[in-house]
Amino acid sequence: MHELILLRHAEAQPAPSGGSDQVRRLSGRGEQEARAAGKWLASHGVKPDRVLCSPSERTRSTAVLALEAMKHAPAPEFADDIYEATPGELLALLDQHGDAGTVMLVGHNPGIERLVALLVEGRSDEFRGMPPGGLAVLHLNGTLEPGNARLDAFWSP
């Protein structure tokens, strides 16, 4: 893997009373944010070979809408390991997909923003925030190791 795209799910509605966090849907604004993220990636020539996505409703919808806007992108693969994952758990998952040139991971905070900090800064406690629908494009310098990535682009709606 030489490039990693990290996309936080777009703005979601609150969980229904007594309902599971997993079933939260995107808000109308969130749908727009997800499409805009895909359009941004397409306009900058960034295209994943593989897409890994948390199984929650809001991440699934974010991935589908972003990929539709990109056209000719692969279908997402859903991985339970992404939901509530630590940066270390996300790295372990990504290690299993090292054969892909560019991987897009659609997930949640704080895992996504901490993974950016870990890969770029070498420390996961030094995160700067990742807003809903925000994305980071990282260039990996040979290996998926802490402090071994370069932040090529950051975009937020």
Side-chain angles (χ1 to χ4, degrees), residues 31-84:
E31 291 174 357
Q32 293 173 348
E33 290 171 349
R35 285 186 191 98
K39 288 177 184 174
W40 186 92
L41 288 166
S43 72
H44 287 81
V46 180
K47 182 180 174 192
D49 302 316
R50 188 165 302 152
V51 179
L52 305 174
C53 183
S54 166
S56 77
E57 177 62 33
R58 62 192 180 276
T59 50
R60 292 170 76 97
S61 295
T62 298
V64 166
L65 292 170
L67 294 170
E68 283 175 0
M70 293 174 69
K71 300 185 179 33
H72 309 295
E77 298 175 27
F78 299 103
D80 292 337
D81 298 353
I82 298 172
Y83 187 77
E84 295 185 343

Side-chain angles (χ1 to χ4, degrees), residues 1-3 48-51 96-104 140:
M1 179 183 334
H2 69 273
E3 192 170 48
D49 302 316
R50 188 165 302 152
V51 179
Q96 298 171 27
H97 297 275
D99 61 319
T102 301
V103 173
M104 182 166 123
L140 304 173

